[in-house]
Amino acid sequence: MGMKVYSSEFKADAVVLYLSDPGHTFEGIGTDLGISRETLRNWVRAERARREERGTSNGNTKDIPVGEATKQQMEAEIAALRAELKQVRKEKEKLAVERDILRKATKFFRRRDELVNRCRFIEDHHHAWGVQRLCQVLEVARSSFYKWRAGRAARAARERDDAVLAGRIRAVHADWDGTWGRPRITAELREAGIRVNHKRVGRVMRAHGIAGLRLRRRHVTTVPEPSAAALPDLLRRDFTAAVPNTRYVGDITYLPVGDGEFLYLATVIDCFSRRLVGWSVADHMRTSLVSAALRAAAATRGSLAGAVFHSDHGAQYKSRDFAALCAELGVVQSTGAVGTSADNALAESFNAALKRETLQGARRFDGARICRLAVFRWIARYNTRRRHSANGQQAPVVYEEQSTTLTLAA
């Protein structure tokens, strides 16, 4: 039997048919096509060689022996798994670093998570993890960090200045028994020649834990007299005066001493300068208490003739004896509405400041003598040194003297 000649198309179709299904065998396809097993094998091998030369193998493993194809597949899969494992390990290391960064950052930002704190954290730890990684994890722009770093010298100088200022603030604060707040301390520093505004003083005080005293307590001392004659309200909540010795306010406040006992303070305050021109302390609230305070005011001013004295509806102020004293001194009486402290707010404010700054949170004074001394010291400093916001942060006596000087100069 002579050799049969097959066309190139037939050969190509036979190879494609064999490679189309992994279950095909040379024996089976050769029998179907009427060719020998070895002839088909040779065609497949030739096609494989051509494809390898062109580098266009279709990836079908039927063009190579089964054992060799399985080996190449396994090697490819192993290589892919190794690459994937490498990527996973790299990602794991990245996550571990980020976890360590955030763990430390959480402790660092326990109180506040501000940009400044994050920049400080980056500065402290950039040698360990690098600026870029820290900025990515903490969500800080690198330009912001480098800008913050460039300002370190200026910040350090500012912190030194703030420390010096804090020392001066503490000195003023201590001189006034820890009662003064930002406005009065600012005025005191300015008078001492220190150029500073109230915002900076407030910031430094907050940063160093310095604060004025703020307390609120009330105790009823106003007992109205139903049978007393009605008096007009001549002030109508206008607690100002154009000149001294024309308008006054007064009140009684309690001073807790000992074990359940009280002293009582009666005041006479000039609306012009907030100066306490008359006062009296006693262990009772009889009319003689307020009368003594008004007589003291007359002695301080020389005369109260024509001045208005404004008070609440306490029985002492509406008594016959007090009315007779006012007539004797030439004082015109005035009262606010019943049941409202706003109609005598100036006197109420004075009383609150006195008790807040002398008791400083304590419930009582340790005895009557200590109480009297504390009140005497505070009143003396109040008139001559304690700054008042209504006077442009000047003490009452200083304000009156300056006003007198300006009037004479005019």
Side-chain angles (χ1 to χ4, degrees):
M1 182 176 178
M3 181 178 294
K4 189 175 181 179
V5 179
Y6 300 97
S7 66
S8 58
E9 290 81 358
F10 181 89
K11 293 179 181 179
D13 291 339
V15 171
V16 171
L17 178 62
Y18 170 78
L19 296 176
S20 65
D21 190 345
H24 290 166
T25 63
F26 291 119
E27 185 72 26
I29 297 299
T31 300
D32 293 337
L33 298 179
I35 60 176
S36 67
R37 179 169 59 102
E38 289 301 319
T39 298
L40 181 58
R41 186 192 297 273
N42 290 334
W43 291 351
V44 171
R45 287 178 177 175
E47 179 63 18
R48 184 190 66 180
R50 285 194 298 271
R51 291 182 179 182
E52 288 179 354
E53 290 176 359
R54 295 196 302 267
T56 59
S57 175
N58 59 6
N60 195 319
T61 58
K62 288 297 294 180
D63 59 345
I64 56 177
V66 176
E68 188 173 348
T70 303
K71 180 179 179 182
Q72 289 186 2
Q73 285 180 348
M74 293 181 63
E75 289 178 349
E77 291 178 359
I78 291 172
L81 290 173
R82 285 177 176 171
E84 184 178 354
L85 180 61
K86 183 178 180 181
Q87 184 65 27
V88 169
R89 286 176 175 172
K90 184 177 180 180
E91 186 67 22
K92 181 181 177 182
E93 291 176 358
K94 178 182 177 182
L95 292 175
V97 171
E98 292 181 358
R99 178 200 62 196
D100 293 340
I101 293 173
L102 292 174
R103 183 179 295 170
K104 286 194 175 183
T106 300
K107 297 178 181 179
F108 196 79
F109 305 143
R110 186 169 296 170
R111 294 184 178 178
R112 292 182 298 178
D113 183 13
E114 296 178 351
L115 178 61
V116 172
N117 284 344
R118 280 183 272 179
C119 289
R120 286 175 177 169
F121 182 84
I122 295 171
E123 177 67 17
D124 294 342
H125 298 85
H126 74 278
H127 293 296
W129 290 302
V131 172
Q132 183 176 358
R133 172 65 63 82
L134 289 169
C135 287
Q136 289 175 348
V137 174
L138 299 179
E139 298 180 352
V140 176
R142 277 192 288 172
S143 59
S144 299
F145 168 71
Y146 287 121
K147 183 178 180 180
W148 175 85
R149 175 188 274 181
R152 283 184 298 182
R155 287 195 303 275
R158 185 166 58 249
E159 289 175 358
R160 290 192 297 269
D161 292 342
D162 285 350
V164 174
L165 179 62
R168 292 171 176 170
I169 291 174
R170 287 188 186 279
V172 176
H173 192 251
D175 186 38
W176 287 93
D177 303 325
T179 59
W180 275 16
R182 179 184 66 180
R184 291 189 177 90
I185 291 178
T186 302
E188 188 80 3
L189 294 174
R190 286 175 177 173
E191 189 171 286
I194 301 173
R195 297 181 60 184
V196 64
N197 62 35
H198 66 281
K199 292 182 179 179
R200 185 185 177 197
V201 171
R203 175 177 59 79
V204 172
M205 289 179 68
R206 287 191 300 271
H208 290 80
I210 307 171
L213 192 63
R214 294 181 180 179
L215 298 173
R216 293 283 184 181
R217 283 204 185 102
R218 291 190 60 81
H219 182 79
V220 177
T221 55
T222 301
V223 180
E225 176 57 56
S227 62
L231 294 172
D233 183 355
L234 301 177
L235 298 191
R236 297 188 178 277
R237 300 188 182 183
D238 179 12
F239 304 107
T240 61
V243 293
N245 198 27
T246 56
R247 306 176 93 187
Y248 292 92
V249 296
D251 194 15
I252 301 174
T253 189
Y254 79 105
L255 303 171
V257 297
D259 186 11
E261 298 177 353
F262 296 95
L263 293 180
Y264 299 92
L265 169 68
T267 57
V268 180
I269 305 168
D270 194 320
C271 292
F272 173 76
S273 62
R274 273 54 175 176
R275 179 179 178 181
L276 182 66
V277 295
W279 57 283
S280 177
V281 175
D283 58 0
H284 61 81
M285 287 199 301
R286 294 190 292 272
T287 303
S288 59
L289 173 68
V290 296
S291 297
L294 190 62
R295 290 187 183 279
T300 301
R301 290 304 195 191
S303 172
L304 297 179
V308 174
F309 177 75
H310 183 84
S311 67
D312 56 26
H313 283 258
Q316 302 86 351
Y317 292 112
K318 303 191 73 175
S319 66
R320 292 180 180 178
D321 290 344
F322 190 74
L325 175 62
C326 290
E328 175 188 337
L329 298 176
V331 173
V332 180
Q333 284 188 268
S334 168
T335 61
V338 178
T340 173
S341 60
D343 283 355
N344 201 20
L346 175 55
E348 296 279 358
S349 176
F350 175 89
N351 294 338
L354 182 147
K355 287 189 284 189
R356 182 175 62 246
E357 297 182 10
T358 53
L359 284 169
Q360 298 189 25
R363 297 184 64 86
R364 297 182 173 278
F365 291 100
D366 294 332
R369 181 175 181 275
I370 293 177
C371 174
R372 289 177 181 273
L373 291 176
V375 170
F376 174 76
R377 175 177 179 267
W378 189 89
I379 289 175
R381 286 158 62 90
Y382 170 86
N383 278 334
T384 59
R385 293 184 56 195
R386 188 181 184 276
R387 300 179 182 276
H388 204 295
S389 57
N391 299 338
Q393 296 299 347
Q394 290 182 321
V397 171
V398 175
Y399 183 73
E400 285 189 359
E401 292 175 349
Q402 183 181 33
S403 299
T404 302
T405 302
L406 293 175
T407 301
L408 292 175

